[in-house]
Amino acid sequence: MHIINLHHVGANYASRQIFSDLIWNIGDRDRVGLVGPNGAGKSTLLKLIAGKLMPESGEIIIMRGVRIGYLTQDIALETGLTLFEAAMIPPPELAKIEAQLNAIEDQLGDPDVYGDSERLTEVLAEQEKVLHAYERVGGAKHPNRVKELLAAFGFSPDEFDLPTETLSGGEKKLIALLRLAVANPDVLLLDEPDNHLDLHAKRYLEAFIRGYEGTVIIVSHDRYLLDETVTQIVELEDGVLTVYHGNYSEYATQKEINRIRQQQLYVAQQKRIQQIEEAIKRFELWASMVIDERHIKQARSRRKMLDKMEENGEMIDKVTERKLMRLNIAGGRGSTKAIELKGVSAAFDDDPVFLDLDMLIRHGERVGLIGPNGAGKSVLFRLILGKLNPLDGEIKIGPSTQIGYYAQEHETLSGWLKRTPIEMIRDIKPMPEGTAVTHLLKFAFSYEQTRQPIGTFSGGERSRIQMLLLMLRNPNLLLLDEPTNNLDIASTEVLENALLDFEGAILTISHDRYFLDRIVDRVIELDNGILTDYLGGYTDYLEKRGLVRVKA
């Protein structure tokens, strides 16, 4: 049963047509992953369905009574509250009913009401009606439901009194999702719900989505999340919606099969068209040499064949590849021991982050550094880079090791925000302006963007600039802090392929489990100040830890 229908919907942003003529029928209890390149309009589409934006054309029909909950990318919780108080803020419908009950309580305490039997009867009848509504929306069960969801999202009672100002981005996102879940809408629209979540929290998110009884539509670049939770992928690209049945891996396989099949059909049709055109030329030549009506008719007949193919929409389009960055990190021979930590300790304001850590990464190893948010992973990177000094211990960088660092928040670009990419590249590695422009064009930047301030670039564009800088510096040790965070899936796959070809050592912090499974051959977990080593990728780590699916 379809509960939401999009009919020929179009949207503009800053006078630019994002998409037009979209048709999409959303069913009851659908589990949809909405994917597509950055800028395709995925977030805009969610806002249209949520009623936050109005379509420029077409209409969105929502079945009567269907309630929609919408989780935005960026979450700002109320300040001055504890975690539990923020979680306890009731959904709008319940808040409205509670306000009505409070108003009725005030009336019942008014002498003009309780002293007038007729008015008292009216107010009591109204109270009974509102109490029924309170029961219908689960008002009495609200506190227990909040506590259940806090536990389901991995929060312990010890964390209930934490001020909202101290919560991480991931924790804030989970509290916002919890408040939506309490309202229990028929449709959940989740825009990047996994952003800022650590691996532990992502597992709880997956369990919640799998167990949710309504329709769920997720915009996410997390392929592992999509594999675990959705049964349908809807791709928005070049203003066109395409529906694929199955999870992300099944979608990726089917899309590649479709691409190969279309290319084969295109080649076969082009060969046939060439044969027809050669026959037309042959008959026209014969008709010019010998006046023969038969040859003229044969030429016209074949020309009509080609015209009909075009008129009937039978022409097969050539497969066009989306323009992506062309990343190739040279790497090369480095020291046998790329990094070695011996008894390293770190602290902030006399508060220890970790103590007495030992770690060795050899040339050619690919290591994933995982652990909860706040465990000290980024601190470890800053120690290796020499941006912090250890409290104790020794950090050895191999004499032939050349470090290339990718910063999660693009800090490496902070001094260049008012300058152009061309200027930055030529300062870092002297070269002719034309060569710098060529490099940028290979990283999917337009000619106009090469002369715009870097500060005007999106997160994804800044990520590509950082990747280009890595390539130009020819490192043989890569320190990558959440390198996939701002990349769409296609760009992430370009990065993965480049890293698979990289000859040096890699140490990467990542919450992208699909990325870890493809890239690393060793996982190091930093938790409670202790480093624990596991051979293999993320799935191997889960098996060795005995971690199975979190139950819904």
PDB file of all heavy atoms in Angstrom, residues 247-279:
ATOM      1  N   ASN A 247      19.626  -4.642  -0.768  1.00  0.00           N
ATOM      2  CA  ASN A 247      20.445  -3.718   0.017  1.00  0.00           C
ATOM      3  C   ASN A 247      21.513  -3.070  -0.860  1.00  0.00           C
ATOM      4  O   ASN A 247      21.485  -3.206  -2.089  1.00  0.00           O
ATOM      5  CB  ASN A 247      21.058  -4.440   1.231  1.00  0.00           C
ATOM      6  CG  ASN A 247      21.986  -5.570   0.823  1.00  0.00           C
ATOM      7  OD1 ASN A 247      22.397  -5.689  -0.340  1.00  0.00           O
ATOM      8  ND2 ASN A 247      22.328  -6.417   1.771  1.00  0.00           N
ATOM      9  N   TYR A 248      22.477  -2.392  -0.236  1.00  0.00           N
ATOM     10  CA  TYR A 248      23.448  -1.643  -1.028  1.00  0.00           C
ATOM     11  C   TYR A 248      24.310  -2.550  -1.897  1.00  0.00           C
ATOM     12  O   TYR A 248      24.548  -2.241  -3.077  1.00  0.00           O
ATOM     13  CB  TYR A 248      24.358  -0.794  -0.121  1.00  0.00           C
ATOM     14  CG  TYR A 248      25.405  -0.084  -0.941  1.00  0.00           C
ATOM     15  CD1 TYR A 248      25.100   1.094  -1.604  1.00  0.00           C
ATOM     16  CD2 TYR A 248      26.679  -0.637  -1.128  1.00  0.00           C
ATOM     17  CE1 TYR A 248      26.020   1.717  -2.421  1.00  0.00           C
ATOM     18  CE2 TYR A 248      27.611  -0.016  -1.945  1.00  0.00           C
ATOM     19  CZ  TYR A 248      27.278   1.155  -2.581  1.00  0.00           C
ATOM     20  OH  TYR A 248      28.195   1.757  -3.408  1.00  0.00           O
ATOM     21  N   SER A 249      24.785  -3.656  -1.346  1.00  0.00           N
ATOM     22  CA  SER A 249      25.655  -4.549  -2.129  1.00  0.00           C
ATOM     23  C   SER A 249      24.924  -5.096  -3.343  1.00  0.00           C
ATOM     24  O   SER A 249      25.497  -5.200  -4.440  1.00  0.00           O
ATOM     25  CB  SER A 249      26.163  -5.695  -1.247  1.00  0.00           C
ATOM     26  OG  SER A 249      27.045  -5.213  -0.252  1.00  0.00           O
ATOM     27  N   GLU A 250      23.650  -5.439  -3.167  1.00  0.00           N
ATOM     28  CA  GLU A 250      22.859  -5.943  -4.301  1.00  0.00           C
ATOM     29  C   GLU A 250      22.640  -4.842  -5.336  1.00  0.00           C
ATOM     30  O   GLU A 250      22.681  -5.091  -6.543  1.00  0.00           O
ATOM     31  CB  GLU A 250      21.523  -6.483  -3.780  1.00  0.00           C
ATOM     32  CG  GLU A 250      21.677  -7.760  -2.962  1.00  0.00           C
ATOM     33  CD  GLU A 250      20.418  -8.129  -2.194  1.00  0.00           C
ATOM     34  OE1 GLU A 250      19.862  -7.254  -1.512  1.00  0.00           O
ATOM     35  OE2 GLU A 250      20.006  -9.301  -2.276  1.00  0.00           O
ATOM     36  N   TYR A 251      22.423  -3.622  -4.855  1.00  0.00           N
ATOM     37  CA  TYR A 251      22.276  -2.473  -5.766  1.00  0.00           C
ATOM     38  C   TYR A 251      23.547  -2.257  -6.581  1.00  0.00           C
ATOM     39  O   TYR A 251      23.500  -2.051  -7.801  1.00  0.00           O
ATOM     40  CB  TYR A 251      21.928  -1.226  -4.950  1.00  0.00           C
ATOM     41  CG  TYR A 251      22.489   0.073  -5.477  1.00  0.00           C
ATOM     42  CD1 TYR A 251      21.898   0.744  -6.544  1.00  0.00           C
ATOM     43  CD2 TYR A 251      23.634   0.647  -4.896  1.00  0.00           C
ATOM     44  CE1 TYR A 251      22.421   1.945  -7.017  1.00  0.00           C
ATOM     45  CE2 TYR A 251      24.155   1.841  -5.362  1.00  0.00           C
ATOM     46  CZ  TYR A 251      23.547   2.482  -6.426  1.00  0.00           C
ATOM     47  OH  TYR A 251      24.071   3.662  -6.893  1.00  0.00           O
ATOM     48  N   ALA A 252      24.706  -2.279  -5.892  1.00  0.00           N
ATOM     49  CA  ALA A 252      25.971  -2.034  -6.584  1.00  0.00           C
ATOM     50  C   ALA A 252      26.213  -3.093  -7.665  1.00  0.00           C
ATOM     51  O   ALA A 252      26.661  -2.765  -8.775  1.00  0.00           O
ATOM     52  CB  ALA A 252      27.120  -2.033  -5.577  1.00  0.00           C
ATOM     53  N   THR A 253      25.883  -4.335  -7.347  1.00  0.00           N
ATOM     54  CA  THR A 253      26.052  -5.417  -8.327  1.00  0.00           C
ATOM     55  C   THR A 253      25.113  -5.231  -9.508  1.00  0.00           C
ATOM     56  O   THR A 253      25.519  -5.335 -10.675  1.00  0.00           O
ATOM     57  CB  THR A 253      25.784  -6.778  -7.650  1.00  0.00           C
ATOM     58  OG1 THR A 253      26.701  -6.952  -6.565  1.00  0.00           O
ATOM     59  CG2 THR A 253      25.950  -7.922  -8.650  1.00  0.00           C
ATOM     60  N   GLN A 254      23.834  -4.949  -9.220  1.00  0.00           N
ATOM     61  CA  GLN A 254      22.850  -4.795 -10.293  1.00  0.00           C
ATOM     62  C   GLN A 254      23.171  -3.587 -11.159  1.00  0.00           C
ATOM     63  O   GLN A 254      23.027  -3.642 -12.393  1.00  0.00           O
ATOM     64  CB  GLN A 254      21.442  -4.639  -9.696  1.00  0.00           C
ATOM     65  CG  GLN A 254      20.328  -4.668 -10.739  1.00  0.00           C
ATOM     66  CD  GLN A 254      20.319  -5.931 -11.572  1.00  0.00           C
ATOM     67  OE1 GLN A 254      20.333  -7.034 -11.025  1.00  0.00           O
ATOM     68  NE2 GLN A 254      20.308  -5.797 -12.891  1.00  0.00           N
ATOM     69  N   LYS A 255      23.640  -2.499 -10.544  1.00  0.00           N
ATOM     70  CA  LYS A 255      23.967  -1.303 -11.323  1.00  0.00           C
ATOM     71  C   LYS A 255      25.121  -1.577 -12.283  1.00  0.00           C
ATOM     72  O   LYS A 255      25.114  -1.126 -13.439  1.00  0.00           O
ATOM     73  CB  LYS A 255      24.316  -0.146 -10.387  1.00  0.00           C
ATOM     74  CG  LYS A 255      24.512   1.173 -11.139  1.00  0.00           C
ATOM     75  CD  LYS A 255      24.752   2.340 -10.234  1.00  0.00           C
ATOM     76  CE  LYS A 255      24.912   3.612 -11.059  1.00  0.00           C
ATOM     77  NZ  LYS A 255      25.218   4.782 -10.251  1.00  0.00           N
ATOM     78  N   GLU A 256      26.111  -2.335 -11.825  1.00  0.00           N
ATOM     79  CA  GLU A 256      27.241  -2.661 -12.694  1.00  0.00           C
ATOM     80  C   GLU A 256      26.801  -3.573 -13.832  1.00  0.00           C
ATOM     81  O   GLU A 256      27.225  -3.407 -14.987  1.00  0.00           O
ATOM     82  CB  GLU A 256      28.346  -3.331 -11.869  1.00  0.00           C
ATOM     83  CG  GLU A 256      29.569  -3.725 -12.653  1.00  0.00           C
ATOM     84  CD  GLU A 256      30.289  -2.550 -13.319  1.00  0.00           C
ATOM     85  OE1 GLU A 256      29.995  -1.382 -12.982  1.00  0.00           O
ATOM     86  OE2 GLU A 256      31.133  -2.816 -14.190  1.00  0.00           O
ATOM     87  N   ILE A 257      25.917  -4.542 -13.532  1.00  0.00           N
ATOM     88  CA  ILE A 257      25.378  -5.417 -14.589  1.00  0.00           C
ATOM     89  C   ILE A 257      24.620  -4.587 -15.621  1.00  0.00           C
ATOM     90  O   ILE A 257      24.786  -4.771 -16.834  1.00  0.00           O
ATOM     91  CB  ILE A 257      24.464  -6.504 -13.972  1.00  0.00           C
ATOM     92  CG1 ILE A 257      25.298  -7.502 -13.163  1.00  0.00           C
ATOM     93  CG2 ILE A 257      23.668  -7.218 -15.059  1.00  0.00           C
ATOM     94  CD1 ILE A 257      24.477  -8.472 -12.337  1.00  0.00           C
ATOM     95  N   ASN A 258      23.793  -3.643 -15.132  1.00  0.00           N
ATOM     96  CA  ASN A 258      23.025  -2.777 -16.039  1.00  0.00           C
ATOM     97  C   ASN A 258      23.954  -1.935 -16.907  1.00  0.00           C
ATOM     98  O   ASN A 258      23.696  -1.729 -18.099  1.00  0.00           O
ATOM     99  CB  ASN A 258      22.098  -1.857 -15.243  1.00  0.00           C
ATOM    100  CG  ASN A 258      20.976  -2.612 -14.554  1.00  0.00           C
ATOM    101  OD1 ASN A 258      20.787  -3.801 -14.793  1.00  0.00           O
ATOM    102  ND2 ASN A 258      20.254  -1.951 -13.684  1.00  0.00           N
ATOM    103  N   ARG A 259      25.032  -1.433 -16.294  1.00  0.00           N
ATOM    104  CA  ARG A 259      25.982  -0.603 -17.044  1.00  0.00           C
ATOM    105  C   ARG A 259      26.648  -1.403 -18.167  1.00  0.00           C
ATOM    106  O   ARG A 259      26.744  -0.939 -19.309  1.00  0.00           O
ATOM    107  CB  ARG A 259      27.056  -0.060 -16.097  1.00  0.00           C
ATOM    108  CG  ARG A 259      27.983   0.976 -16.713  1.00  0.00           C
ATOM    109  CD  ARG A 259      29.161   1.259 -15.813  1.00  0.00           C
ATOM    110  NE  ARG A 259      30.065   0.135 -15.744  1.00  0.00           N
ATOM    111  CZ  ARG A 259      30.967  -0.176 -16.686  1.00  0.00           C
ATOM    112  NH1 ARG A 259      31.081   0.576 -17.776  1.00  0.00           N
ATOM    113  NH2 ARG A 259      31.756  -1.209 -16.543  1.00  0.00           N
ATOM    114  N   ILE A 260      27.078  -2.618 -17.830  1.00  0.00           N
ATOM    115  CA  ILE A 260      27.731  -3.466 -18.838  1.00  0.00           C
ATOM    116  C   ILE A 260      26.746  -3.827 -19.949  1.00  0.00           C
ATOM    117  O   ILE A 260      27.076  -3.778 -21.139  1.00  0.00           O
ATOM    118  CB  ILE A 260      28.299  -4.739 -18.172  1.00  0.00           C
ATOM    119  CG1 ILE A 260      29.442  -4.360 -17.223  1.00  0.00           C
ATOM    120  CG2 ILE A 260      28.776  -5.738 -19.227  1.00  0.00           C
ATOM    121  CD1 ILE A 260      29.908  -5.499 -16.339  1.00  0.00           C
ATOM    122  N   ARG A 261      25.513  -4.167 -19.551  1.00  0.00           N
ATOM    123  CA  ARG A 261      24.493  -4.553 -20.538  1.00  0.00           C
ATOM    124  C   ARG A 261      24.165  -3.382 -21.467  1.00  0.00           C
ATOM    125  O   ARG A 261      24.060  -3.556 -22.687  1.00  0.00           O
ATOM    126  CB  ARG A 261      23.236  -5.029 -19.806  1.00  0.00           C
ATOM    127  CG  ARG A 261      22.126  -5.535 -20.744  1.00  0.00           C
ATOM    128  CD  ARG A 261      20.942  -6.014 -19.927  1.00  0.00           C
ATOM    129  NE  ARG A 261      21.302  -7.140 -19.092  1.00  0.00           N
ATOM    130  CZ  ARG A 261      20.812  -7.364 -17.871  1.00  0.00           C
ATOM    131  NH1 ARG A 261      19.960  -6.506 -17.338  1.00  0.00           N
ATOM    132  NH2 ARG A 261      21.180  -8.429 -17.179  1.00  0.00           N
ATOM    133  N   GLN A 262      24.016  -2.170 -20.876  1.00  0.00           N
ATOM    134  CA  GLN A 262      23.712  -0.997 -21.704  1.00  0.00           C
ATOM    135  C   GLN A 262      24.840  -0.719 -22.682  1.00  0.00           C
ATOM    136  O   GLN A 262      24.597  -0.401 -23.853  1.00  0.00           O
ATOM    137  CB  GLN A 262      23.477   0.234 -20.824  1.00  0.00           C
ATOM    138  CG  GLN A 262      23.107   1.478 -21.641  1.00  0.00           C
ATOM    139  CD  GLN A 262      22.913   2.709 -20.769  1.00  0.00           C
ATOM    140  OE1 GLN A 262      22.737   2.608 -19.564  1.00  0.00           O
ATOM    141  NE2 GLN A 262      22.963   3.873 -21.385  1.00  0.00           N
ATOM    142  N   GLN A 263      26.090  -0.853 -22.229  1.00  0.00           N
ATOM    143  CA  GLN A 263      27.222  -0.602 -23.121  1.00  0.00           C
ATOM    144  C   GLN A 263      27.257  -1.619 -24.258  1.00  0.00           C
ATOM    145  O   GLN A 263      27.532  -1.271 -25.417  1.00  0.00           O
ATOM    146  CB  GLN A 263      28.531  -0.658 -22.321  1.00  0.00           C
ATOM    147  CG  GLN A 263      29.775  -0.322 -23.126  1.00  0.00           C
ATOM    148  CD  GLN A 263      29.769   1.089 -23.703  1.00  0.00           C
ATOM    149  OE1 GLN A 263      29.060   1.956 -23.195  1.00  0.00           O
ATOM    150  NE2 GLN A 263      30.538   1.326 -24.756  1.00  0.00           N
ATOM    151  N   GLN A 264      26.947  -2.866 -23.940  1.00  0.00           N
ATOM    152  CA  GLN A 264      26.921  -3.910 -24.980  1.00  0.00           C
ATOM    153  C   GLN A 264      25.822  -3.620 -26.000  1.00  0.00           C
ATOM    154  O   GLN A 264      26.039  -3.744 -27.218  1.00  0.00           O
ATOM    155  CB  GLN A 264      26.702  -5.281 -24.342  1.00  0.00           C
ATOM    156  CG  GLN A 264      27.897  -5.787 -23.555  1.00  0.00           C
ATOM    157  CD  GLN A 264      27.582  -7.046 -22.757  1.00  0.00           C
ATOM    158  OE1 GLN A 264      26.416  -7.331 -22.450  1.00  0.00           O
ATOM    159  NE2 GLN A 264      28.610  -7.799 -22.409  1.00  0.00           N
ATOM    160  N   LEU A 265      24.635  -3.239 -25.505  1.00  0.00           N
ATOM    161  CA  LEU A 265      23.530  -2.923 -26.414  1.00  0.00           C
ATOM    162  C   LEU A 265      23.853  -1.696 -27.261  1.00  0.00           C
ATOM    163  O   LEU A 265      23.519  -1.648 -28.453  1.00  0.00           O
ATOM    164  CB  LEU A 265      22.243  -2.687 -25.606  1.00  0.00           C
ATOM    165  CG  LEU A 265      21.646  -3.921 -24.916  1.00  0.00           C
ATOM    166  CD1 LEU A 265      20.491  -3.526 -24.000  1.00  0.00           C
ATOM    167  CD2 LEU A 265      21.158  -4.951 -25.951  1.00  0.00           C
ATOM    168  N   TYR A 266      24.497  -0.701 -26.641  1.00  0.00           N
ATOM    169  CA  TYR A 266      24.877   0.509 -27.377  1.00  0.00           C
ATOM    170  C   TYR A 266      25.849   0.164 -28.510  1.00  0.00           C
ATOM    171  O   TYR A 266      25.679   0.623 -29.651  1.00  0.00           O
ATOM    172  CB  TYR A 266      25.518   1.518 -26.419  1.00  0.00           C
ATOM    173  CG  TYR A 266      26.118   2.718 -27.122  1.00  0.00           C
ATOM    174  CD1 TYR A 266      25.321   3.759 -27.568  1.00  0.00           C
ATOM    175  CD2 TYR A 266      27.497   2.789 -27.341  1.00  0.00           C
ATOM    176  CE1 TYR A 266      25.875   4.857 -28.222  1.00  0.00           C
ATOM    177  CE2 TYR A 266      28.052   3.881 -27.988  1.00  0.00           C
ATOM    178  CZ  TYR A 266      27.238   4.911 -28.433  1.00  0.00           C
ATOM    179  OH  TYR A 266      27.780   5.983 -29.088  1.00  0.00           O
ATOM    180  N   VAL A 267      26.858  -0.642 -28.199  1.00  0.00           N
ATOM    181  CA  VAL A 267      27.849  -1.025 -29.213  1.00  0.00           C
ATOM    182  C   VAL A 267      27.179  -1.791 -30.351  1.00  0.00           C
ATOM    183  O   VAL A 267      27.431  -1.536 -31.538  1.00  0.00           O
ATOM    184  CB  VAL A 267      28.981  -1.867 -28.578  1.00  0.00           C
ATOM    185  CG1 VAL A 267      29.877  -2.480 -29.661  1.00  0.00           C
ATOM    186  CG2 VAL A 267      29.803  -1.004 -27.626  1.00  0.00           C
ATOM    187  N   ALA A 268      26.278  -2.735 -29.993  1.00  0.00           N
ATOM    188  CA  ALA A 268      25.583  -3.530 -31.016  1.00  0.00           C
ATOM    189  C   ALA A 268      24.702  -2.630 -31.884  1.00  0.00           C
ATOM    190  O   ALA A 268      24.662  -2.787 -33.116  1.00  0.00           O
ATOM    191  CB  ALA A 268      24.743  -4.610 -30.349  1.00  0.00           C
ATOM    192  N   GLN A 269      23.991  -1.669 -31.256  1.00  0.00           N
ATOM    193  CA  GLN A 269      23.117  -0.788 -32.029  1.00  0.00           C
ATOM    194  C   GLN A 269      23.934   0.138 -32.932  1.00  0.00           C
ATOM    195  O   GLN A 269      23.545   0.386 -34.086  1.00  0.00           O
ATOM    196  CB  GLN A 269      22.242   0.047 -31.086  1.00  0.00           C
ATOM    197  CG  GLN A 269      21.172   0.843 -31.829  1.00  0.00           C
ATOM    198  CD  GLN A 269      20.345   1.721 -30.908  1.00  0.00           C
ATOM    199  OE1 GLN A 269      20.870   2.631 -30.293  1.00  0.00           O
ATOM    200  NE2 GLN A 269      19.049   1.429 -30.819  1.00  0.00           N
ATOM    201  N   GLN A 270      25.052   0.636 -32.413  1.00  0.00           N
ATOM    202  CA  GLN A 270      25.903   1.501 -33.241  1.00  0.00           C
ATOM    203  C   GLN A 270      26.439   0.758 -34.457  1.00  0.00           C
ATOM    204  O   GLN A 270      26.538   1.324 -35.561  1.00  0.00           O
ATOM    205  CB  GLN A 270      27.061   2.057 -32.398  1.00  0.00           C
ATOM    206  CG  GLN A 270      26.648   3.085 -31.370  1.00  0.00           C
ATOM    207  CD  GLN A 270      25.990   4.309 -31.984  1.00  0.00           C
ATOM    208  OE1 GLN A 270      26.552   4.961 -32.862  1.00  0.00           O
ATOM    209  NE2 GLN A 270      24.772   4.625 -31.538  1.00  0.00           N
ATOM    210  N   LYS A 271      26.749  -0.510 -34.259  1.00  0.00           N
ATOM    211  CA  LYS A 271      27.222  -1.327 -35.391  1.00  0.00           C
ATOM    212  C   LYS A 271      26.118  -1.476 -36.426  1.00  0.00           C
ATOM    213  O   LYS A 271      26.354  -1.375 -37.641  1.00  0.00           O
ATOM    214  CB  LYS A 271      27.672  -2.692 -34.874  1.00  0.00           C
ATOM    215  CG  LYS A 271      28.296  -3.582 -35.942  1.00  0.00           C
ATOM    216  CD  LYS A 271      28.794  -4.887 -35.333  1.00  0.00           C
ATOM    217  CE  LYS A 271      29.427  -5.768 -36.408  1.00  0.00           C
ATOM    218  NZ  LYS A 271      29.905  -7.061 -35.819  1.00  0.00           N
ATOM    219  N   ARG A 272      24.885  -1.718 -35.958  1.00  0.00           N
ATOM    220  CA  ARG A 272      23.738  -1.865 -36.862  1.00  0.00           C
ATOM    221  C   ARG A 272      23.456  -0.554 -37.596  1.00  0.00           C
ATOM    222  O   ARG A 272      23.191  -0.554 -38.812  1.00  0.00           O
ATOM    223  CB  ARG A 272      22.513  -2.292 -36.048  1.00  0.00           C
ATOM    224  CG  ARG A 272      21.222  -2.393 -36.843  1.00  0.00           C
ATOM    225  CD  ARG A 272      21.300  -3.432 -37.927  1.00  0.00           C
ATOM    226  NE  ARG A 272      20.065  -3.547 -38.672  1.00  0.00           N
ATOM    227  CZ  ARG A 272      19.979  -3.861 -39.951  1.00  0.00           C
ATOM    228  NH1 ARG A 272      21.092  -4.112 -40.655  1.00  0.00           N
ATOM    229  NH2 ARG A 272      18.820  -3.949 -40.560  1.00  0.00           N
ATOM    230  N   ILE A 273      23.525   0.593 -36.862  1.00  0.00           N
ATOM    231  CA  ILE A 273      23.297   1.902 -37.488  1.00  0.00           C
ATOM    232  C   ILE A 273      24.347   2.158 -38.568  1.00  0.00           C
ATOM    233  O   ILE A 273      24.031   2.657 -39.655  1.00  0.00           O
ATOM    234  CB  ILE A 273      23.329   3.015 -36.412  1.00  0.00           C
ATOM    235  CG1 ILE A 273      22.072   2.925 -35.525  1.00  0.00           C
ATOM    236  CG2 ILE A 273      23.404   4.398 -37.063  1.00  0.00           C
ATOM    237  CD1 ILE A 273      22.115   3.818 -34.316  1.00  0.00           C
ATOM    238  N   GLN A 274      25.582   1.793 -38.277  1.00  0.00           N
ATOM    239  CA  GLN A 274      26.655   1.983 -39.261  1.00  0.00           C
ATOM    240  C   GLN A 274      26.383   1.172 -40.521  1.00  0.00           C
ATOM    241  O   GLN A 274      26.590   1.637 -41.652  1.00  0.00           O
ATOM    242  CB  GLN A 274      27.995   1.585 -38.652  1.00  0.00           C
ATOM    243  CG  GLN A 274      29.185   1.856 -39.565  1.00  0.00           C
ATOM    244  CD  GLN A 274      30.501   1.484 -38.922  1.00  0.00           C
ATOM    245  OE1 GLN A 274      30.545   1.002 -37.802  1.00  0.00           O
ATOM    246  NE2 GLN A 274      31.588   1.695 -39.637  1.00  0.00           N
ATOM    247  N   GLN A 275      25.897  -0.061 -40.320  1.00  0.00           N
ATOM    248  CA  GLN A 275      25.572  -0.915 -41.477  1.00  0.00           C
ATOM    249  C   GLN A 275      24.453  -0.299 -42.316  1.00  0.00           C
ATOM    250  O   GLN A 275      24.513  -0.294 -43.559  1.00  0.00           O
ATOM    251  CB  GLN A 275      25.157  -2.312 -40.998  1.00  0.00           C
ATOM    252  CG  GLN A 275      26.297  -3.130 -40.410  1.00  0.00           C
ATOM    253  CD  GLN A 275      25.804  -4.398 -39.733  1.00  0.00           C
ATOM    254  OE1 GLN A 275      24.603  -4.553 -39.447  1.00  0.00           O
ATOM    255  NE2 GLN A 275      26.723  -5.318 -39.469  1.00  0.00           N
ATOM    256  N   ILE A 276      23.428   0.251 -41.654  1.00  0.00           N
ATOM    257  CA  ILE A 276      22.309   0.869 -42.371  1.00  0.00           C
ATOM    258  C   ILE A 276      22.790   2.099 -43.128  1.00  0.00           C
ATOM    259  O   ILE A 276      22.422   2.320 -44.300  1.00  0.00           O
ATOM    260  CB  ILE A 276      21.168   1.233 -41.390  1.00  0.00           C
ATOM    261  CG1 ILE A 276      20.557  -0.043 -40.788  1.00  0.00           C
ATOM    262  CG2 ILE A 276      20.092   2.060 -42.094  1.00  0.00           C
ATOM    263  CD1 ILE A 276      19.582   0.237 -39.647  1.00  0.00           C
ATOM    264  N   GLU A 277      23.620   2.932 -42.467  1.00  0.00           N
ATOM    265  CA  GLU A 277      24.116   4.149 -43.121  1.00  0.00           C
ATOM    266  C   GLU A 277      25.007   3.815 -44.323  1.00  0.00           C
ATOM    267  O   GLU A 277      24.960   4.505 -45.358  1.00  0.00           O
ATOM    268  CB  GLU A 277      24.881   5.005 -42.109  1.00  0.00           C
ATOM    269  CG  GLU A 277      23.962   5.676 -41.091  1.00  0.00           C
ATOM    270  CD  GLU A 277      24.719   6.463 -40.034  1.00  0.00           C
ATOM    271  OE1 GLU A 277      25.918   6.154 -39.831  1.00  0.00           O
ATOM    272  OE2 GLU A 277      24.114   7.359 -39.419  1.00  0.00           O
ATOM    273  N   GLU A 278      25.789   2.753 -44.210  1.00  0.00           N
ATOM    274  CA  GLU A 278      26.620   2.332 -45.339  1.00  0.00           C
ATOM    275  C   GLU A 278      25.740   1.847 -46.488  1.00  0.00           C
ATOM    276  O   GLU A 278      26.039   2.104 -47.677  1.00  0.00           O
ATOM    277  CB  GLU A 278      27.586   1.237 -44.899  1.00  0.00           C
ATOM    278  CG  GLU A 278      28.723   1.754 -44.030  1.00  0.00           C
ATOM    279  CD  GLU A 278      29.585   0.642 -43.465  1.00  0.00           C
ATOM    280  OE1 GLU A 278      29.227  -0.551 -43.655  1.00  0.00           O
ATOM    281  OE2 GLU A 278      30.608   0.949 -42.812  1.00  0.00           O
ATOM    282  N   ALA A 279      24.641   1.149 -46.159  1.00  0.00           N
ATOM    283  CA  ALA A 279      23.716   0.680 -47.201  1.00  0.00           C
ATOM    284  C   ALA A 279      23.051   1.869 -47.895  1.00  0.00           C
ATOM    285  O   ALA A 279      22.884   1.877 -49.123  1.00  0.00           O
ATOM    286  CB  ALA A 279      22.661  -0.235 -46.578  1.00  0.00           C
TER     287      ALA A 279
END
